[in-house]
Amino acid sequence: MQISYYATSETVPEVLPPAEGGPDAAVVIDVLRATTTIAFSLERGAEAVEAFADLAKLEAAASAWPQQSRLRAGERGGKRIDGYDLGNSPVAITPELVSGKRIFMSTTNGTRSLAAVKAVPLLLTACLPNRTAVATSLWQKQCEKVWIVGSGWEGDYSLEDSLAAGAVAAALLTIAAASQRPARIANDEMYVALAVWHQWAQDTEGCLRAASHGQRLMGIGNHDADFACCASVDSLQIVPFQAEPGVLKAS
C-alpha cells in the first residue's frame, strides 16, 4: 500500500483510473468540523449525508426530497447559514433530530475536498474519532494506492487536518507491521503529517485549539464541546463511504 497526503483540494492531482496510475481509494478529512459531523450524523441514524460545494445545487436537491425526511446543514466562515436546520457542529447531532433523514450539507472547505476526489473508486471520510476504523477498512479492502486529502481553510494548509491524516496513516502502518503486506509513505507531505501526529497524539485537543482554524472558532463563540468531540480518538466505529457521487452512507 502506498499512502500519500494532499493538504487541500487545490493540491490534489488529476484523478486517473487505477489502471492508469490513479488511486483506488481516497480519504477526505475536515477535522473542524465537516467529516466529524458526517461521522456522527451517520452513527446517530441519518439515512445519508449528501455533500455540495455549491449552495444553489444543494437547494435544488433538497427541494426534490420529501420535506419530512430532509435537513439542510450549511456553514460559511465557521457559522451556520441563516435559515438552515444545522450548521457544522457534531454536538448538535442527536438521534431524535437526524434518524432516517438525509442531510444536505455544504461547508466552507470539506465539501470542496469531497468534490475533488469523487471519481476515486473508494471514497471514505475520516476524523480523529474514526481514524482506526477507517484504516482497518482500507486494509481489509486491500487498497493499493491511498490518497488522504485534507480540507484546509480556503485553500490554505491546516494543522488539524494534517494531525488526523497522520493519525490515519499511523494506524495503517501499525496494521501493516502486524501483517505480511507492506505499507509505505509515498510523499513528503505524508511524512510531515505523521510528524504532526507524533507531536500531538497525547494532546489532540491542544493541537486543534492551537491551529489557526481553532483560533478562529474560539474567536466567534464557545465551541468547547465541539473541540472535545472533534479531538476524541477512536471513539467511533462508523466508516462513511461514497455510495453514489456526493452521497455518503454508513458502511
Side-chain angles (χ1 to χ4, degrees):
M1 177 186 286
Q2 299 178 30
I3 314 165
S4 301
Y5 178 51
Y6 301 97
T8 69
S9 59
E10 291 81 2
T11 63
V12 174
E14 178 186 1
V15 176
L16 299 174
E20 298 177 20
D24 55 354
V27 179
V28 171
I29 291 172
D30 185 1
V31 173
L32 290 175
R33 294 161 287 172
T35 57
T36 308
T37 300
I38 288 167
F40 276 91
S41 296
L42 295 174
E43 193 272 338
R44 290 174 179 170
E47 179 267 335
V49 178
E50 190 164 354
F52 297 86
D54 182 87
L55 285 175
K57 292 180 180 178
L58 182 155
E59 292 290 348
S63 296
W65 204 259
Q67 184 173 359
Q68 69 274 14
S69 300
R70 74 183 188 222
L71 293 168
R72 295 178 306 150
E75 170 266 323
R76 289 294 184 269
K79 299 179 180 180
R80 183 172 72 176
I81 296 173
D82 288 344
Y84 274 51
D85 304 292
L86 295 164
N88 191 20
S89 170
V91 299
I93 304 299
T94 64
E96 296 78 15
L97 179 63
V98 305
S99 183
K101 296 180 181 178
R102 178 164 295 206
I103 300 175
F104 296 83
M105 171 186 259
S106 182
T107 67
T108 304
N109 305 293
T111 44
R112 293 191 300 184
S113 289
L114 284 164
V117 289
K118 66 180 179 182
V120 176
L122 176 65
L123 174 56
L124 309 178
T125 66
C127 53
L128 290 170
N130 73 347
R131 64 108 187 192
T132 295
V134 168
T136 301
S137 180
L138 291 168
W139 197 260
Q140 290 175 341
K141 295 178 187 302
Q142 299 188 1
C143 299
E144 295 295 332
K145 191 170 187 177
V146 178
W147 286 2
I148 302 177
V149 181
S151 297
W153 176 262
E154 297 184 347
D156 291 333
Y157 174 91
S158 67
L159 180 65
E160 71 278 4
D161 289 349
S162 291
L163 175 75
V168 172
L172 281 168
L173 293 173
T174 297
I175 296 169
S179 76
Q180 299 302 310
R181 281 196 298 132
R184 72 175 185 88
I185 303 308
N187 67 353
D188 290 352
E189 291 86 345
M190 189 73 263
Y191 279 113
V192 172
L194 277 166
V196 171
W197 168 247
H198 291 308
Q199 172 70 27
W200 291 95
Q202 302 306 313
D203 185 16
T204 53
E205 184 170 342
C207 181
L208 269 55
R209 288 179 177 274
S212 59
H213 187 41
Q215 295 287 313
R216 189 177 296 110
L217 286 176
M218 287 188 288
I220 61 175
N222 181 350
H223 289 88
D224 287 352
D226 276 347
F227 280 114
C229 180
C230 293
S232 63
V233 178
D234 292 336
S235 59
L236 293 178
Q237 292 300 312
I238 202 86
V239 179
F241 77 101
Q242 182 175 249
E244 57 186 271
V247 178
L248 298 157
K249 294 192 174 185
S251 59

